[in-house]
Amino acid sequence: ILLLVSTFLKADNYDSAVLKVYTFDIKEMIAKPVWRTTKMAIEQAEKENAGLILIQMNTYGGLLDAADSIRTKILDTHIPVYVFIDKNAASAGALISIACDSIYMAPGSSIGAATVVNQSGEQMPDKYQRSEERRVGKECRSRWSPYH
């Protein structure tokens, strides 16, 4: 992991001698326990004055409400958040990943489409897909806008 963090830092011109990196894993279904873990990790990183947060991810997705809470927490922190996708970042994992400042992927890993599904795992009608796409797109554009 040290080599990985060093590579990230060199790519973004950080001085690794003075940068504290806080890491945590998302390697299960995105649900309330992952939201709690993420919330506590980001709050701890802020308390420790970390200069970078690194999420190691491998997930096939999960619940939209938990993913949206995680995405919002990432967008609201002042600390840059990087994600390293070890194998998969599907659906809710993709939504979380695009909220991060940088995305890095292991060879052969994949990031998948984020599709709104119901509790049975069936895709919701197009009107729900478009509504969520517009909302997420608007928030992402706001995050990366030079006027933000």
Side-chain angles (χ1 to χ4, degrees), residues 99-136:
C100 295
D101 296 288
S102 292
I103 300 172
Y104 296 88
M105 300 174 70
S109 62
S110 63
I111 186 167
T115 300
V116 179
V117 296
N118 64 20
Q119 290 149 334
S120 301
E122 300 163 341
Q123 184 172 330
M124 295 291 286
D126 283 345
K127 70 178 184 177
Y128 296 104
Q129 306 299 329
R130 287 189 303 271
S131 173
E132 189 62 16
E133 287 170 4
R134 283 192 301 272
R135 187 182 67 76
V136 171

